[in-house]
């Protein structure tokens, strides 16, 4: 059944298309259905359109966070072993609503989110951002995605253990190939693999090299065959080099990247998704939510590299996407990534990372991250100019009176 929704005309605004270097006055934007129909610096004629007077505020594309986990709803993720999938889903609904409330109209889930939760958002059952899902994050036995305790021997059942549901174990190229195919069969938009140790897993050293070159190559080959790509969790230059040399397209975290591995990543047209906020916030607040000493020690190892990694990538010409990677109760700090990055980058660079670069990473150039005809009508209205004040993105969306996704108002306090 088709119902005709009237067009929506935004006027009296400053337009911030991140391809520009500043917001421009005198523009109007017409939305029809799920997409932007017209953008003009002259008044747009649209009889019958519902007019939104923006009161001189700044209209810009919705934000894109390329590294979230909507299902990892505990700071100490080991607590998830006793969280059933029903409760996990209910919590994810809460976390996703908070994300779109903060102006993130698109997120890339890097392990956990499945086609079920994606469908729930797409069909309007749950308010939330557009989801690009990875299904289960795949790693080797004993690696970052092996959630078993040392006393567990066989595989754990995933039906009442959220950690098993979010992560998969595969060993050897053939098993990796099969597991990658399985994620894609279940609707994964991209494939997540583990190439180095991690902070939130207690038993694998941070500098351990996880999947072998042959295993990584099997994953990237399969993903490519299916029209997908592979993202890799990797901290060290060795892990980054191994991943990128074997076809990985995006490096997650990358805190300890050096000039040489950054140059390699740039030469392949790859991306890095940094997430400074999680290290700083974990240091301050994770212990109160039960994160253990051995995890926090690993956090210290990578924290120092975080700001430096942005400068190294900039010098090497690696494009960096916006990421947060916050777990559970700490996800409220998602927008603070803007502020941490501002220590070494200009506001325009960071806003581009959270829009244009995000769209490239998601292979949605021209559809997301811009305000242009034919793009999805994913828009936010800001109480001021974020190029002058990134803090406007803070406070859980308090400075965003309008949030629209696919032409539908998630929020509109201007009426
Ligand atoms: Zn990771
Ligand atoms: Zn992550």
């Amino acid at each position: 059944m088709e119902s005709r929704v009237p067009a929506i005309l935004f006027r009296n605004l400053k337009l911030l298309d991140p391809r520009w270097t500043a917001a421009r006055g005198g523009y109007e934007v017409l939305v029809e259905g799920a997409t932007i129909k017209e953008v003009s610096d002259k008044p747009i004629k649209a009889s019958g359109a519902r007019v939104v007077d923006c009161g001189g505020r700044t209209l810009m594309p919705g934000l894109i966070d390329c590294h979230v986990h909507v299902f990892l709803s505990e700071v100490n993720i080991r607590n998830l072993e006793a969280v059933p999938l029903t409760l996990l889903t209910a919590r994810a609904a809460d976390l996703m609503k908070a994300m779109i409330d903060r102006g993130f109209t698109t997120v890339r889930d890097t392990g956990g989110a499945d086609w079920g939760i994606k469908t729930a958002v797409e069909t309007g059952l749950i308010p939330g951002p557009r989801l690009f899902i990875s299904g289960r994050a795949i790693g080797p036995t004993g690696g970052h995605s092996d959630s078993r305790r040392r006393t567990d021997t066989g595989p754990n059942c995933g039906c009442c253990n959220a950690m098993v549901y979010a992560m998969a174990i595969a060993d050897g190229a053939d098993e990796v190939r099969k597991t990658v195919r399985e994620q894609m069969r279940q609707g994964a938009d991209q494939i997540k693999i583990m190439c180095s140790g991690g902070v939130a897993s207690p038993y694998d050293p941070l500098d351990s090299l996880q999947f072998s070159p042959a295993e990584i190559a099997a994953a990237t080959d399969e993903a490519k065959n299916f029209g997908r790509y592979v993202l890799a969790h990797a901290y060290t230059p060795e892990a980054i080099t191994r991943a990128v040399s074997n076809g990985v397209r995006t490096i997650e975290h990358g805190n300890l990247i050096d000039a040489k591995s950054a140059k390699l990543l740039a030469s392949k047209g790859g991306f890095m998704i940094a997430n400074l906020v999680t290290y700083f916030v974990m240091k301050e607040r994770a212990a109160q939510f039960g994160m253990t000493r051995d995890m926090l020690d690993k956090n210290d190892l990578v924290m120092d590299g975080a700001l430096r990694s942005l400068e190294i990538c900039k010098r090497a010409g690696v494009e960096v996407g916006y990421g947060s990677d916050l777990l559970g109760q700490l996800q409220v700090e998602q927008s603070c990534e803007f502020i941490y990055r501002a220590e070494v980058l200009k506001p325009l660079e960071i806003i581009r990372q959270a829009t244009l670069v995000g769209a490239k990473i998601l292979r949605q150039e021209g559809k997301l991250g811009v305000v242009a005809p034919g793009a999805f009508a994913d828009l936010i209205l800001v109480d001021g100019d974020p190029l002058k004040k990134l803090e406007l993105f803070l406070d859980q969306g308090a400075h965003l009176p309008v949030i629209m996704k696919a032409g539908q108002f998630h929020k509109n306090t201007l009426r």
Side-chain angles (χ1 to χ4, degrees):
M1 201 165 59
E2 206 178 304
S3 64
R4 275 206 58 86
V5 186
I8 296 161
L9 179 62
F10 291 97
R11 62 166 46 141
N12 188 18
L13 55 93
K14 292 185 190 69
L15 186 62
L16 177 56
D17 184 313
R19 292 172 297 183
W20 305 340
T21 54
R24 299 177 184 173
Y27 274 79
E28 296 193 353
V29 175
L30 182 67
V31 169
E32 210 175 87
T35 57
I36 294 168
K37 171 97 172 158
E38 193 178 344
V39 178
S40 176
D41 59 358
K42 296 182 189 68
I44 294 173
K45 280 187 214 68
S47 58
R50 174 178 163 192
V51 174
V52 178
D53 183 330
C54 298
R57 295 176 181 87
T58 308
L59 188 73
M60 63 173 287
L63 304 170
I64 302 172
D65 188 335
C66 280
H67 195 121
V68 305
H69 298 281
V70 305
F71 275 168
L72 300 187
S73 51
E74 290 280 346
V75 174
N76 182 353
I77 56 170
R78 302 196 72 77
N79 293 341
L80 288 172
E81 61 187 16
V83 175
L85 304 185
T86 42
L87 180 56
L88 191 72
T89 307
R91 286 180 177 181
D94 200 44
L95 293 172
M96 287 191 298
K97 177 176 179 298
M99 286 178 184
I100 191 165
D101 283 345
R102 290 188 281 266
F104 289 92
T105 50
T106 298
V107 300
R108 184 177 68 150
D109 189 283
T110 52
D114 66 352
W115 66 275
I117 198 87
K118 179 174 168 164
T119 304
V121 174
E122 277 179 357
T123 55
L125 287 169
I126 295 176
R130 276 173 206 287
L131 275 177
F132 287 78
I133 60 167
S134 310
R136 290 184 156 111
I138 311 165
T141 291
H144 185 42
S145 65
D146 188 337
S147 61
R148 292 171 300 168
R149 290 168 178 266
R150 283 195 160 132
T151 44
D152 296 333
T153 43
N156 284 349
C157 164
C159 66
C160 282
N161 179 334
M163 269 211 292
V164 178
Y165 194 73
M167 296 184 258
I169 301 170
D171 295 293
D174 287 348
E175 219 172 278
V176 170
R177 214 176 267 284
K178 185 172 184 185
T179 312
V180 167
R181 287 175 176 162
E182 186 60 34
Q183 304 318 304
M184 296 188 301
R185 181 182 77 81
Q186 294 182 32
D189 297 299
Q190 66 273 327
I191 294 297
K192 164 81 174 287
I193 64 170
M194 303 305 189
C195 288
S196 80
V199 171
S201 48
Y203 309 133
D204 53 334
L206 203 74
D207 60 358
S208 61
L209 287 170
Q210 301 196 355
F211 279 147
S212 68
E215 288 168 322
I216 299 170
T220 58
D221 181 51
E222 256 340 289
K224 190 164 163 242
N225 292 342
F226 210 81
R228 302 289 186 266
Y229 69 91
V230 173
L231 54 139
H233 161 105
Y235 282 108
T236 60
E238 294 75 22
I240 293 166
T241 302
R242 183 185 275 194
V244 174
S245 307
N246 288 287
V248 165
R249 181 166 173 262
T250 77
I251 295 296
E252 309 302 304
H253 322 304
N255 298 41
L256 306 175
I257 196 167
D258 61 3
K260 200 170 158 213
S261 49
K263 198 173 154 203
L264 175 70
L265 182 57
S267 75
K268 305 272 187 188
F271 298 85
M272 198 174 93
I273 291 83
N275 54 285
L276 313 191
V277 59
T278 197
Y279 309 107
F280 290 98
V281 171
M282 274 207 278
K283 187 171 180 67
E284 280 170 32
R285 295 180 49 201
Q288 77 186 84
F289 296 110
M291 186 165 267
T292 60
R293 190 64 253 165
D294 46 358
M295 295 181 192
L296 288 168
D297 286 346
K298 293 207 275 186
N299 189 57
D300 285 345
L301 285 178
V302 291
M303 204 172 90
D304 290 342
L307 282 168
R308 204 164 45 240
S309 73
L310 293 182
E311 295 174 308
I312 291 170
C313 283
K314 190 172 168 178
R315 271 199 296 278
V318 173
E319 292 197 277
V320 177
Y322 187 103
S324 56
D325 196 25
L326 289 158
L327 300 172
Q329 299 88 336
L330 299 179
Q331 290 193 13
V332 289
E333 312 289 351
Q334 185 181 22
S335 310
C336 291
E337 181 73 11
F338 282 101
I339 309 302
Y340 287 111
R341 289 187 185 198
E343 285 202 31
V344 291
L345 300 175
K346 295 187 191 72
L348 179 64
E349 293 173 306
I350 308 168
I351 288 173
R352 284 179 172 168
Q353 291 174 340
T355 52
L356 296 173
V357 179
K360 274 193 204 173
I361 289 167
L362 298 168
R363 294 176 164 164
Q364 298 288 315
E365 282 179 273
K367 300 298 278 182
L368 294 175
V370 291
V371 183
F376 291 118
D378 289 12
L379 299 163
I380 58 175
L381 190 66
V382 188
D383 276 337
D385 186 349
L387 287 174
K388 299 196 176 93
K389 197 178 171 194
L390 287 170
E391 286 79 4
L392 290 165
F393 293 132
L394 301 183
D395 306 317
Q396 312 302 320
H399 315 292
L400 310 175
V402 172
I403 299 169
M404 171 176 269
K405 189 188 80 175
Q408 307 259 353
F409 286 106
H410 168 69
K411 175 184 180 185
N412 181 5
T413 61
L414 293 183
R415 313 164 220 256

